[in-house]
């Protein structure tokens, strides 16, 4: 049986160019339905937690990547390589 790939979560903020770049990579690699974006501006706790670290990519609830996120980083974080 093949295990389902975890659905990554990208914590983002409106107007963040690094967030946009990471989102484009995730779209290209996983498709638009293969990951979830959460805007930290919609939750005070998330804003405090991630304000100076976004984007942050979490996989299975574990924060794996932050700030400048590259395709090789995503491959490694998701165990695709």
């Amino acid at each position: 049986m093949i295990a389902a790939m975890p659905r990554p979560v990208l914590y983002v903020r409106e107007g963040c160019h690094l967030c946009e770049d990471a989102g484009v990579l995730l779209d290209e690699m996983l498709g638009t339905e293969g990951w979830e974006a959460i805007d930290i501006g919609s939750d005070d706790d998330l804003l405090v937690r991630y304000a100076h670290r976004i984007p942050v990519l979490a996989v299975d609830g574990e924060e794996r990547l932050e700030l400048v996120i590259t395709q090789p980083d995503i491959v490694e974080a998701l165990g695709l390589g």
Side-chain angles (χ1 to χ4, degrees):
M1 184 168 117
I2 297 173
M5 188 172 81
R7 184 176 168 90
V9 174
L10 186 67
Y11 293 93
V12 299
R13 187 178 202 173
E14 187 175 329
C16 167
H17 74 279
L18 292 176
C19 300
E20 292 169 10
D21 293 346
V24 167
L25 283 174
L26 287 166
D27 280 347
E28 290 172 355
M29 296 174 69
L30 306 175
T32 58
E33 300 297 317
W35 62 283
E36 178 181 1
I38 296 179
D39 184 346
I40 65 168
S42 63
D43 183 301
D44 289 341
D45 291 333
L46 292 177
L47 189 58
V48 169
R49 184 173 183 179
Y50 295 116
H52 301 289
R53 300 172 48 205
I54 57 163
V56 173
L57 183 70
V59 181
D60 287 336
E62 179 183 335
E63 296 169 8
R64 300 275 181 95
L65 303 171
E66 62 184 68
L67 298 171
V68 178
I69 297 174
T70 65
Q71 184 171 354
D73 293 335
I74 295 170
V75 168
E76 184 176 333
L78 298 179
L80 300 176

